[in-house]
Amino acid sequence: MTVSASSISIPPYEVDECRGVLRVYSDGSIWRSSEPPFNVPVDDDGSALWKDVLFHPVHNLQLRIYKPTASTPSAKLPIFYFIHGGGYCIGSRAWPNIHNYCLRLASELEAVVISPDYRLAPENKLPAAIEDGFMAVKWLQAQALAENPDPWLTHDAADFSKVFVSGDSAGGNIAHNLAVQLGAGLPDLAPVQVKGYVLFEPFFGGTVRTRSEAEGPKDAILNLDLIDRFWRLSTPIGATTDHPLINPFGLASPSLEHMKLDPILVLVAGSDLLKDRQEEYAQRLKKWRKKVEYAEFEGQQHCFFTINTSSEPARSLMKIIKRFITENSN
């Protein structure tokens, strides 16, 4: 009996993997773990309250809201978005490192913190995540206009005129793209007013290697192999990492020189392979007379502030954010 090659069934095999929580197979199927890739205990000292809210029913996306327990009763709290990272492929508002950091942000910044989820690649390649980030901000506008908003977001409790959008790594990339999309002082979000953006180690890319990428240590938390893998899985089909959503200075990217942008704070880990891209981003914006600040933390690795929220560099970073909010709230 002759068996044709076409009749032999080859079982699916793994073609891509990310930190043990995402596996992509040859037949296109995807497996995701419900657990994070690391064991971090939740550090909840009671200084902030939190709850989950559905903000995007179509895609069943939730956000987590935090508020400090010890805020001044008569004072309205600023609103601070924190969009998680994960190379656009992994991560969640519920991962303990993100949750711990948002608890600390709420208590130390004395702010309402909003941490949204977004659709992940490769099931949902870019621009899906950025669209979801925009919808998370539009959700806040709907709350501001609602007759019966969420009790934590009433006009007596939250200050919709003092909103800051931040994100870590891929979340920092989302924050940048929202800054470009929303511009400065546009009325599209009224009565919500975005006062500034905080980009924690923004995840930018490009087809030409930077020095920090090419010479960075192979054992870095975010090494070059993982960077390439994240972009391979999340880049729009047919595009390269010079796509405008990935590389702010790619050939097809709109020039930021004449755009009106709200103030931007760029926070960088000195030993991060993405450092050169982040530094160039801040330098170009400064050259074009944008209101941008740059703070680099020497010797620190990617995500150092969520790995150890109480470290001295993480405390210094928090002080910089607090000052940025104060200086740009008026």
Side-chain angles (χ1 to χ4, degrees):
M1 178 179 177
T2 303
V3 179
S4 65
S6 60
S7 66
I8 300 175
S9 177
I10 300 175
Y13 55 91
E14 185 180 295
V15 295
D16 261 313
E17 179 272 336
C18 294
R19 295 202 185 279
V21 296
L22 169 65
R23 301 185 189 280
V24 182
Y25 293 92
S26 56
D27 63 352
S29 61
I30 292 168
W31 172 87
R32 287 187 179 275
S33 171
S34 59
E35 300 296 325
F38 35 74
N39 185 20
V40 175
V42 172
D43 183 17
D44 188 347
D45 61 2
S47 61
L49 303 174
W50 63 274
K51 64 180 178 180
D52 288 327
V53 177
L54 180 70
F55 80 92
H56 201 322
V58 174
H59 297 302
N60 194 32
L61 293 173
Q62 293 190 322
L63 52 77
R64 186 162 287 184
I65 310 178
Y66 301 79
K67 70 172 184 176
T69 54
S71 58
T72 305
S74 60
K76 291 184 179 182
L77 300 177
I79 299 170
F80 191 87
Y81 274 82
F82 184 80
I83 308 171
H84 72 78
Y88 284 120
C89 298
I90 59 176
S92 166
R93 77 195 188 289
W95 278 14
N97 60 322
I98 302 301
H99 182 62
N100 288 343
Y101 196 62
C102 287
L103 287 168
R104 188 170 287 266
L105 285 169
S107 62
E108 296 198 19
L109 298 181
E110 294 184 88
V112 174
V113 173
I114 299 176
S115 179
D117 275 342
Y118 49 86
R119 286 170 289 166
L120 299 174
E123 302 97 316
N124 302 281
K125 295 180 180 290
L126 291 173
I130 294 164
E131 292 170 350
D132 296 339
F134 177 73
M135 290 304 296
V137 179
K138 290 293 287 184
W139 174 86
L140 182 66
Q141 181 186 35
Q143 294 296 310
L145 295 172
E147 290 186 11
N148 296 299
D150 186 283
W152 292 10
L153 292 171
T154 63
H155 285 269
D156 293 333
D159 194 339
F160 293 98
S161 70
K162 295 179 181 178
V163 177
F164 293 83
V165 178
S166 85
D168 171 32
S169 196
N173 179 300
I174 293 174
H176 155 74
N177 279 291
L178 291 178
V180 171
Q181 182 177 349
L182 295 173
L186 294 179
D188 300 25
L189 290 175
V192 170
Q193 297 179 39
V194 178
K195 294 293 189 179
Y197 294 83
V198 181
L199 277 54
F200 297 77
E201 312 163 330
F203 189 46
F204 295 136
T207 55
V208 179
R209 297 283 194 214
T210 66
R211 181 174 179 178
S212 61
E213 289 171 343
E215 300 180 3
K218 289 182 168 41
D219 61 350
I221 290 173
L222 182 64
N223 59 39
L224 193 58
D225 177 67
L226 191 55
I227 290 172
D228 287 346
R229 202 176 312 169
F230 282 149
W231 286 132
R232 184 168 64 247
L233 293 172
S234 64
T235 299
I237 294 174
T240 71
T241 48
D242 282 330
H243 188 282
L245 298 178
I246 298 171
N247 184 355
F249 310 120
L251 292 176
S253 301
S255 173
L256 304 180
E257 183 174 3
H258 302 296
M259 285 187 183
K260 291 184 178 180
L261 298 173
D262 284 312
I264 296 175
L265 170 62
V266 184
L267 301 168
V268 175
S271 295
D272 190 350
L273 270 68
L274 300 174
K275 170 185 169 297
D276 287 354
R277 294 193 186 278
Q278 298 155 355
E279 186 175 16
E280 180 194 15
Y281 174 81
Q283 287 176 345
R284 288 213 195 187
L285 293 187
K286 284 183 179 179
K287 178 183 175 182
W288 294 330
R289 302 186 182 280
K290 312 302 178 189
K291 189 174 182 181
V292 60
E293 292 185 48
Y294 176 87
E296 182 178 324
F297 296 83
E298 185 177 356
Q300 297 302 306
Q301 284 274 1
H302 195 75
C303 296
F304 68 94
F305 50 90
T306 61
I307 293 172
N308 185 353
T309 61
S310 61
S311 68
E312 181 56 38
R315 289 198 296 268
S316 297
L317 181 147
M318 188 70 75
K319 291 177 183 177
I320 293 171
I321 299 170
K322 194 163 189 174
R323 176 183 52 77
F324 179 80
I325 290 175
T326 300
E327 290 179 355
N328 292 287
S329 287
N330 298 322

